[in-house]
Amino acid sequence: MVSSEHGELRGLFSGFEGYRTPAPTEVRAALAHGVVVVDTNVLVDLYRMNRQVREDMLTVLEALSDRLWVPHQVLIEFWRNQQQPGVLGHHHVQARDTLTAMTKAHSSIGDSLKRWARAVHLSEDAPIRDELNQLEGELDATLSRLREVLERQAKVDQVPGAPDTSADPVIGKLEGLLQGKVGAAPTDEQLVRWISEARERAQRRQPPGFRDFDDGKPDQTAAGDYIVWRQLSAEVAARGKDVVFVTRDLKEDWWRTLAVSGDRLPRIELVHELRAETGQQLYMLEPSGLLDLAQDSLDLRGRVASTSVDALRQMESESSTIEWSEETLCYLLATLQHQSPVRFQVLLQAGRANGFVDRETVYRLGGYEPNRMLRGFTRPVATAARRLQALGLIKGTPEELLRAVYDGDVLAAGFDVPDYTIPILKRIAQNFDTHGVVTLETDTDDEDAEHDSEACED
């Protein structure tokens, strides 16, 4: 390190702390000695977790003791969501939906067998009839046993007593855990100011929470993430300790995703903003990461099942969609350019046309006859995304990209893309129009950078 003109020792990460990947030992130390703030989804997910995972998560929250802290805004959102039938009855709903799908599949198998028998003119007294009847009976018995297993497991995992808060064991446990650990409600003046700030920051795409404004939510609801951020910052400043924020919200307005590994880190802007305001370090974990690291940092080895960490990771990957980045859109478009060129052109046009491509433009780009239907037009895009996911080029389940738009008619009026992808698609389209290839944007003009920018070219 070298002394500055003011005598302060500075180094590579001085003022650039957001770029540094924290070591697991640092995060463990923050869990053991800092402030641990949990987001709404951590509390609501207690109802979605199976019984073992739920018990282990509550064990970890209890072990955090006075280091655990919950912003007032998190409780507002918790009570808004907790009473929903899909939350309180999550396990019964999942079992019911699965059984409904299995019943439909069973019926479809029976219908298929009947069609086959008619197609091959199978007589009622054909020798094979006895074997078919036996197999169908075995299928009926298997379906019945599966129904019993699913219903039994749903009963095991379902939180008993809900929605009666006096009988709900999760509420009973949280009431004790959070006593004295919830932040104060903001004043009316603070709330008005924070909502205004959140709206202005969203226009600048400044994290956190700008994505919620893209979804057309009322301002006070859309500002929820920013309100959590303001309350978190104030508590960290008051305690003078580093903070670990635990959330399953994987949107780009909280996290940045490393291109090669797919690992997630807090947005650089958030790390720098918190350090500038409080002098403290921001760490972020998904709930599975909390469960994993807490075993050592909170001396819980042997008290938390290793299977619970894996179960949470699976739950997080299946229940959360990731947003498209410039890199992943580049991969997708390079794939579609060869496999489905009309969809490729429509997505580029969406970037040029502020996100919407009308029906007539789709027909022109595709050279389609007027009587051609557009049913299933978006399917090749979703198929290509799944293929890239299977190859490991996209980490997680990507958000639906190309979406049909209807205007009171059975025919699609056109197709649109998520708002946040429009500037990315616009840049890619401009590069394509100029160079004739799909490339990542680069900030330099040298030959090496130009070569690197074409990493997604197929």
Side-chain angles (χ1 to χ4, degrees):
M1 291 188 290
V2 182
S3 298
S4 71
E5 58 180 337
H6 302 295
E8 179 186 358
L9 295 177
R10 300 183 63 80
L12 179 65
F13 287 105
S14 300
F16 302 94
E17 292 82 3
Y19 291 92
R20 189 169 62 84
T21 303
T25 52
E26 292 181 57
V27 187
R28 290 192 185 99
L31 285 174
H33 306 291
V35 188
V36 181
V37 178
V38 296
D39 201 2
T40 307
N41 44 62
V42 179
L43 302 181
V44 172
D45 279 350
L46 290 168
Y47 292 90
R48 300 188 177 106
M49 298 169 186
N50 66 42
R51 185 175 65 177
Q52 180 64 60
V53 178
R54 179 166 57 246
E55 290 175 354
D56 287 343
M57 179 59 76
L58 288 169
T59 295
V60 169
L61 295 180
E62 185 174 25
L64 289 169
S65 187
D66 289 340
R67 296 184 300 284
L68 178 63
W69 187 79
V70 176
H72 183 268
Q73 178 67 22
V74 164
L75 280 195
I76 290 177
E77 296 173 4
F78 170 76
W79 287 115
R80 181 193 303 153
N81 290 282
Q82 187 264 356
Q83 293 292 307
Q84 300 299 318
V87 173
L88 292 177
H90 173 80
H91 293 283
H92 287 311
V93 168
Q94 294 302 311
R96 182 197 65 204
D97 291 349
T98 301
L99 288 169
T100 299
M102 288 181 359
T103 300
K104 289 181 179 178
H106 182 215
S107 177
S108 179
I109 290 172
D111 292 341
S112 296
L113 286 171
K114 290 176 182 176
R115 285 195 296 272
W116 169 80
R118 289 195 299 270
V120 300
H121 314 293
L122 193 68
S123 64
E124 291 297 329
D125 58 353
I128 198 176
R129 285 287 187 182
D130 290 340
E131 187 176 0
L132 286 174
N133 292 336
Q134 179 182 347
L135 289 171
E136 287 192 79
E138 292 173 3
L139 186 60
D140 292 343
T142 299
L143 184 63
S144 179
R145 289 196 297 272
L146 281 170
R147 179 183 298 277
E148 293 173 2
V149 169
L150 266 62
E151 290 176 344
R152 182 173 69 246
Q153 190 61 39
K155 189 174 182 180
V156 168
D157 291 331
Q158 187 67 38
V159 175
D164 182 351
T165 57
S166 64
D168 182 338
V170 169
I171 295 298
K173 190 73 171 180
L174 288 177
E175 187 175 15
L177 284 177
L178 300 183
Q179 186 63 39
K181 301 170 188 172
V182 177
T187 64
D188 292 342
E189 292 76 14
Q190 283 178 318
L191 193 59
V192 169
R193 183 173 72 253
W194 288 345
I195 293 172
S196 176
E197 289 173 358
R199 189 188 310 111
E200 293 171 1
R201 289 167 67 113
Q203 292 172 353
R204 301 193 300 269
R205 313 300 286 177
Q206 183 177 354
F210 60 77
R211 285 287 286 111
D212 290 325
F213 281 87
D214 292 344
D215 296 336
K217 299 175 182 176
D219 279 1
Q220 185 160 348
T221 301
D225 281 2
Y226 180 66
I227 295 171
V228 168
W229 177 246
R230 289 269 53 89
Q231 293 173 338
L232 176 154
S233 299
E235 186 67 15
V236 170
R239 295 200 189 195
K241 294 180 180 294
D242 292 341
V243 61
V244 180
F245 181 49
V246 185
T247 182
R248 190 172 55 79
D249 185 344
L250 303 183
K251 295 196 300 294
E252 64 168 334
D253 52 11
W254 280 111
W255 302 86
R256 63 186 178 101
T257 302
L258 302 184
V260 177
S261 65
D263 293 338
R264 281 182 282 269
L265 293 174
R267 287 283 297 248
I268 292 169
E269 303 96 316
L270 296 178
V271 175
H272 290 169
E273 183 175 341
L274 189 76
R275 181 170 284 275
E277 292 183 357
T278 70
Q280 305 304 319
Q281 180 67 30
L282 170 68
Y283 301 98
M284 286 174 57
L285 289 174
E286 296 170 56
S288 60
L290 172 65
L291 223 60
D292 187 19
L293 294 178
Q295 296 181 69
D296 288 332
S297 59
L298 304 180
D299 195 23
L300 294 175
R301 187 64 65 177
R303 295 181 56 195
V304 173
S306 59
T307 54
S308 292
V309 177
D310 294 334
L312 260 188
R313 284 177 179 151
Q314 180 181 358
M315 175 183 172
E316 290 160 359
S317 65
E318 291 179 353
S319 60
S320 300
T321 56
I322 63 166
E323 297 186 342
W324 291 96
S325 65
E326 184 162 356
E327 182 180 36
T328 54
L329 280 174
C330 178
Y331 283 134
L332 180 73
L333 285 163
T335 300
L336 291 172
Q337 185 175 10
H338 300 287
Q339 296 181 356
S340 187
V342 178
R343 279 79 178 176
F344 168 79
Q345 290 292 344
V346 167
L347 285 169
L348 291 184
Q349 182 62 24
R352 303 183 188 104
N354 202 30
F356 178 73
V357 183
D358 62 36
R359 185 181 183 87
E360 290 73 20
T361 301
V362 173
Y363 274 77
R364 176 176 57 79
L365 291 172
Y368 294 155
E369 295 295 328
N371 60 348
R372 176 180 176 132
M373 301 294 289
L374 293 180
R375 186 178 295 113
F377 183 80
T378 63
R379 194 174 298 129
V381 179
T383 300
R386 287 195 297 271
R387 187 177 299 115
L388 292 172
Q389 183 187 12
L391 291 171
L393 295 173
I394 297 178
K395 306 292 185 181
T397 303
E399 182 178 4
E400 183 183 11
L401 180 59
L402 190 62
R403 308 171 299 195
V405 177
Y406 295 90
D407 187 18
D409 200 341
V410 295
L411 299 178
F415 300 87
D416 72 357
V417 295
D419 287 347
Y420 73 92
T421 66
I422 297 172
I424 305 175
L425 288 169
K426 183 177 182 179
R427 287 196 299 271
I428 295 175
Q430 289 171 342
N431 285 338
F432 181 79
D433 293 341
T434 302
H435 304 293
V437 293
V438 176
T439 64
L440 285 170
E441 186 182 53
T442 177
D443 294 329
T444 59
D445 296 324
D446 61 45
E447 292 182 3
D448 288 340
E450 184 176 350
H451 174 75
D452 291 341
S453 76
E454 295 180 6
C456 287
E457 185 180 352
D458 196 329

